[in-house]
Amino acid sequence: MRDVSVIPLTEDESMIVAVDNSGAVGMKAQDEVQVPYAVVSYFAFRTAVMECISAGGHPFIVIIHNFCGNDAWAELVTGVKKGLKELNFMDVQITGSTETNFQLKQSTIGLTVLGKKAMGGVEVPLNIKKQRVAVIGSPLVGEAVRDRPEEIASLHLFDSIAQISGVTLFPVGSKGILYELNQAFSENMNDRQVQTDVDIMQSSGPSTCFIAIYPKKLEDRIQSEAGSLFHLVQFEV
C-alpha cells in the first residue's frame, strides 16, 4: 500500500496524487521549529515527490497551500524549485494559493504533487523471504532534520536508485520504518523481528530516509550509490 491516489485518465495514462503537510515549522514566533520557509517547502515537497516517483509517476505540477502569509510565498516557491533542480525536473509548474483573510499564529502549509504514469507495466512482486531490504538515510524529525543534514538521503540519490530496474522504493514518513515495512510486505511484524542499525520506530519526518527492496544481485550497486547512508535490514519471520 502506498500513500498516494491513482486516478485513471485514459486507457494509456493515469495520474498520481501525492500530498504532504507541515505545521508549526517556520518563522512565526509560536512555531516549534524555527527555519526559513524555503526549508519548510523543500522538505514538504520532497516527501510528496518521493511518494509520486516511488509509485511510478513523473511530476508535472506542484500545488502549494500557504497559510504562512503573503510574505512567505516567494520563499516557499524557492524551496520547491530547489527540489525540482535537484531532480532535474525543470519542466514542472508551480501554482497555489495563500490565505490572506486571517493570520495564523503558527506556520502551516500543504503541498500537492501531481504526476503522470503510463498504464501497464508489471510491478515486481514483494517477498520478504526472497528479496533484500535496506534503509537509505536516517529517520529524522524536527530539529534533527536541521542539525544532521549529512544523514538525509538526497532527492538525487532517491531518483537515481528509483531508476534501477527491479528496485521498489517506499519513502518513510512520520509513522516510521516498521510501519512502512509492514505496508510494503503486508506483514504484521514487531520491532523484535527486524534487525538494522537505525531506529525503526522513530519518525522519519519529511521522508529523510527510504526503504529499498531489491534482488540480492543489485545490493553492491545500491550500497555503492548510497555509501554511508546504506543500512541493511534483516528479518526473523
Side-chain angles (χ1 to χ4, degrees), residues 106-125:
Q106 290 180 306
S107 300
T108 305
I109 73 165
L111 193 143
T112 302
V113 173
L114 303 182
K116 291 183 180 180
K117 176 184 177 181
M119 298 291 277
V122 179
E123 290 194 10
V124 178

Side-chain angles (χ1 to χ4, degrees), residues 33-77:
V33 180
Q34 297 283 320
V35 293
Y37 287 117
V39 175
V40 177
S41 62
Y42 169 77
F43 280 102
F45 167 73
R46 59 172 278 140
T47 298
V49 80
M50 288 167 74
E51 290 286 359
C52 180
I53 293 171
S54 67
H58 182 84
F60 65 92
I61 193 165
V62 179
I63 306 167
I64 303 171
H65 310 271
N66 172 30
F67 299 89
C68 305
N70 269 328
D71 292 344
W73 178 259
E75 273 199 77
L76 293 173
V77 171

Side-chain angles (χ1 to χ4, degrees), residues 79-221:
V80 172
K81 286 183 174 179
K82 176 186 175 183
L84 290 171
K85 184 177 181 180
E86 196 173 331
L87 290 163
N88 198 29
F89 289 171
M90 306 315 292
D91 58 338
V92 177
Q93 298 182 54
I94 302 173
T95 188
S97 178
T98 297
E99 169 60 65
T100 57
N101 291 309
F102 301 98
Q103 296 295 317
L104 277 68
K105 294 182 179 180
Q106 290 180 306
S107 300
T108 305
I109 73 165
L111 193 143
T112 302
V113 173
L114 303 182
K116 291 183 180 180
K117 176 184 177 181
M119 298 291 277
V122 179
E123 290 194 10
V124 178
L126 301 181
N127 188 316
I128 199 169
K129 296 182 179 179
K130 294 183 178 180
Q131 290 168 296
R132 303 284 278 182
V133 179
V135 172
I136 313 299
S138 298
L140 305 173
V141 68
E143 294 183 354
V145 178
R146 180 191 62 195
D147 298 339
R148 296 157 61 185
E150 72 282 357
E151 298 180 40
I152 298 172
S154 70
L155 285 176
H156 177 76
L157 175 61
F158 177 84
D159 191 50
S160 177
I161 294 177
Q163 302 308 315
I164 302 174
S165 178
V167 178
T168 301
L169 301 184
F170 284 82
V172 180
S174 60
K175 294 179 181 178
I177 294 166
L178 180 62
Y179 173 83
E180 296 296 345
L181 287 171
N182 282 327
Q183 293 293 103
F185 290 107
S186 300
E187 300 283 343
N188 189 28
M189 294 179 289
N190 59 52
D191 58 338
R192 296 183 299 277
Q193 295 172 285
V194 182
Q195 288 80 48
T196 186
D197 60 359
V198 291
D199 187 346
I200 63 172
M201 306 302 291
Q202 164 71 35
S203 168
S204 185
S207 296
T208 56
C209 67
F210 61 91
I211 294 165
I213 302 168
Y214 53 89
K216 186 176 181 180
K217 64 182 181 180
L218 293 176
E219 185 157 285
D220 288 347
R221 179 177 175 183

